[in-house]
Amino acid sequence: MRIVISNTSGVPIYEQIKQQVIAAIQAGDLPEGAPLPSLRALARDLRVSLITTTRAYNDLARDGFIANVHGKGSFVLPRSPELVREHLLRQVEDALAEALRRARLAGLTRDELVAILDQLLQHPEEER
């Protein structure tokens, strides 16, 4: 598993770690039962604090992506369709919120936004 951290992205480092682990799980790069690097090893490799990696792993466990087994490590949990759908729904909501922010900056009306969405729905091959 390769994690790349950006100090200039504006996204907290623990959140970058979390997002990249989730992406690896969803892509199948981290299959069910796969062990994650230890908290200390990941902190050392990324040159971040142990508190940062602990926060990322605790969030992943809370959200149902991994299990933290005391004395053994952290392991990828089976992917439930409901969990995958919920995570993707959150991503869609975030993307739509960002699109809406940009549309407001551009001065687009509701009707213009709906027309754009309708066009994208009618021609999915043109999605970017």
Side-chain angles (χ1 to χ4, degrees), residues 13-78:
I13 293 173
Y14 74 88
E15 187 66 28
Q16 292 179 51
I17 295 168
K18 179 182 162 185
Q19 290 172 359
Q20 290 180 52
V21 170
I22 290 171
I25 291 170
Q26 290 181 331
D29 296 335
L30 285 174
E32 174 184 336
L36 296 178
S38 73
L39 292 168
R40 292 185 195 290
L42 185 61
R44 182 188 65 242
D45 292 348
L46 297 177
R47 297 184 184 147
V48 299
S49 76
L50 181 60
I51 293 169
T52 299
T53 56
T54 301
R55 169 85 187 265
Y57 277 26
N58 286 343
D59 285 0
L60 287 162
R62 178 200 67 217
D63 293 345
F65 289 98
I66 68 170
N68 295 321
V69 181
H70 186 71
K72 303 253 185 207
S74 300
F75 302 88
V76 176
L77 289 173

